[in-house]
Amino acid sequence: MVNQPKRILVVEDNDRDRKLLAAMLESLGYESELASNGAEALGKLDGSVALVLLDVQMPQLDGFEVARRIRALPECGDVPIILATILSDTEDKIRGVTAGANDFISKPIDRTELQVRIKSLLEVKAARDELRRVGEHLEPVLADVELRATVPTGPRVAPRPPHGGDHPLDDVVGADPAAHVDLAGARETVHQLHAGGQQLLDALAGHHQERA
């Protein structure tokens, strides 16, 4: 199955620059969705958008305000945001980070730099999504483990399931009173691994912003 190109929402009030960015993104293998102002961008943003390339200096809603509103959206508030700007002051970058931007790129935009920044942010986002998916998968398994750990010691009160006992947890809990302690430790280990992975992703994202 051929992978669909990632959709990138370009928010730029200058018509010429907007078309140039669309052509640049398509030459890099991405699909572009165009918006000429912040309100239009917020209306077009949905879960299919992989990244937002957002101009800072726009009338009515500037890029900082649009980024803040994106971060408040429950469905797609974690989408990566690159602020495109001619501003270079540290104060402006602090405003951007506070608003929710993941990265910055200076205008006029260089094609190679844009390619590198987009690729980096999409990789971090994919890793974060995978970590979240694994965590969501583990939660019901760990809940099942804890439930089985509370079964009184001694013979099982229910017969083995008709599928032949193929459940990976069927033989974890036996008559050993120490089983509950071991399983509690296993749960703590899983949580520590999950937290460690999240900290690593946050560190990578922070390092990415420092390089900007």
Side-chain angles (χ1 to χ4, degrees):
M1 179 178 179
V2 178
N3 291 330
Q4 293 294 320
K6 300 287 187 182
R7 288 183 67 225
I8 296 180
L9 176 60
V10 177
V11 191
E12 169 61 66
D13 63 317
N14 184 285
D15 184 63
R16 176 178 176 276
D17 289 349
R18 190 168 60 251
K19 291 177 179 178
L20 285 173
L21 286 172
M24 190 181 296
L25 289 170
E26 289 168 9
S27 74
L28 293 173
Y30 298 107
E31 177 185 339
S32 61
E33 181 71 36
L34 306 181
S36 60
N37 56 65
E40 183 182 1
L42 293 169
K44 290 186 173 183
L45 185 61
D46 57 30
S48 68
V49 173
L51 183 142
V52 179
L53 181 58
L54 177 61
D55 185 29
V56 170
Q57 296 178 305
M58 296 187 296
Q60 299 177 353
L61 296 178
D62 64 18
F64 299 125
E65 180 59 27
V66 175
R68 277 190 289 269
R69 296 193 184 191
I70 289 174
R71 290 293 175 244
L73 297 174
E75 306 88 0
C76 46
D78 62 343
V79 63
I81 299 173
I82 299 178
L83 287 181
T85 178
I86 60 174
L87 305 175
S88 58
D89 292 343
T90 301
E91 181 179 348
D92 291 318
K93 288 192 174 184
I94 292 174
R95 285 184 65 195
V97 171
T98 303
N102 300 95
D103 202 356
F104 304 86
I105 191 166
S106 298
K107 301 175 72 173
I109 293 176
D110 177 77
R111 181 180 182 276
T112 301
E113 182 183 4
L114 181 64
Q115 180 182 27
V116 170
R117 293 184 182 276
I118 289 176
K119 182 175 182 292
S120 177
L121 283 178
L122 292 180
E123 287 175 349
V124 171
K125 177 65 163 54
R128 195 184 298 276
D129 289 345
E130 178 63 15
L131 183 63
R132 183 184 299 115
R133 187 194 67 77
V134 170
E136 291 173 351
H137 175 74
L138 284 175
E139 280 303 321
V141 175
L142 291 172
D144 193 9
V145 167
E146 288 190 335
L147 178 62
R148 289 164 181 264
T150 62
V151 175
T153 60
R156 294 178 181 267
V157 296
R160 293 183 68 83
H163 54 62
D166 293 331
H167 192 289
L169 299 177
D170 280 337
D171 296 317
V172 171
V173 180
D176 185 0
H180 181 75
V181 177
D182 294 338
L183 292 171
R187 183 179 179 85
E188 178 62 24
T189 299
V190 170
H191 280 304
Q192 289 176 355
L193 289 171
H194 187 269
Q198 186 63 53
Q199 290 174 0
L200 178 58
L201 286 173
D202 290 342
L204 287 171
H207 178 65
H208 182 84
Q209 286 187 347
E210 288 175 3
R211 291 190 302 157

